[in-house]
């Protein structure tokens, strides 16, 4: 859904209207509505990548929770490194896998099949958003995080596909 389209303006009007109504009743209901609307917004482009987004959120939340649970500096450094490596590997697969296989085929005269990988929209934004959260947690700038606040931060539709990357405390 393009930001400068009538469909987006209609979507935005519905999201804001329902958020305003639900927010008067309950802040949690308003947040839940924005999460649902954000997932719809992301899935509108390609529903298949909702699973990728969900797995990314789940893995990063698990790493953040582990970072919050441990005080041992070595263990925390290992965890943040693991989280960053997994996130960078996700981006590398989608952005560079085909290129690297094509290059290998050319250089080594091999015949590896080149997968047709469709780049998920906003993958860099939601991945770097979560890397920032991992680093903030590792540096003790983030000392608690609920699952739904994590989901809200990552999926918030105005910045999900176009940024900017923001810190948890700014949301």
């Amino acid at each position: 859904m393009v930001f400068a389209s009538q469909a987006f303006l209609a979507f935005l009007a519905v999201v804001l209207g329902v958020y305003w109504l639900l927010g008067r009743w309950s802040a949690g209901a308003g947040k839940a509505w924005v999460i649902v609307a954000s997932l719809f917004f992301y899935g509108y482009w390609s529903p298949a990548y909702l699973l990728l987004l969900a797995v990314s959120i789940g893995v990063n939340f698990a790493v953040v929770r582990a970072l919050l649970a441990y005080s041992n500096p070595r263990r925390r450094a290992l965890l943040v490194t693991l989280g960053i490596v997994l996130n960078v590997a996700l981006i590398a697969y989608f952005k560079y896998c085909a290129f690297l296989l094509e290059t290998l085929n050319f250089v080594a005269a091999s015949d590896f099949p080149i997968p047709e990988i469709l780049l998920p929209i906003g993958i860099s934004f939601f991945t770097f958003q979560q890397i920032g959260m991992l680093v903030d947690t590792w540096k003790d700038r983030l000392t608690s995080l609920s699952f739904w606040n994590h989901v809200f931060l990552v999926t918030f539709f105005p910045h999900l596909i176009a940024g900017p990357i923001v810190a948890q405390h700014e949301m």
Side-chain angles (χ1 to χ4, degrees), residues 59-87 130-131 134-135 137-138:
V59 168
N60 279 285
F61 182 73
V63 174
V64 166
R65 296 299 293 178
L67 282 168
L68 292 171
Y70 293 115
S71 59
N72 180 299
R74 284 192 173 150
R75 184 171 278 179
R76 289 172 52 87
L78 181 64
L79 280 168
V80 76
T81 302
L82 174 67
I84 291 170
V85 166
L86 290 173
N87 280 291
Q130 294 183 102
I131 289 173
L134 292 173
V135 171
T137 306
W138 178 59

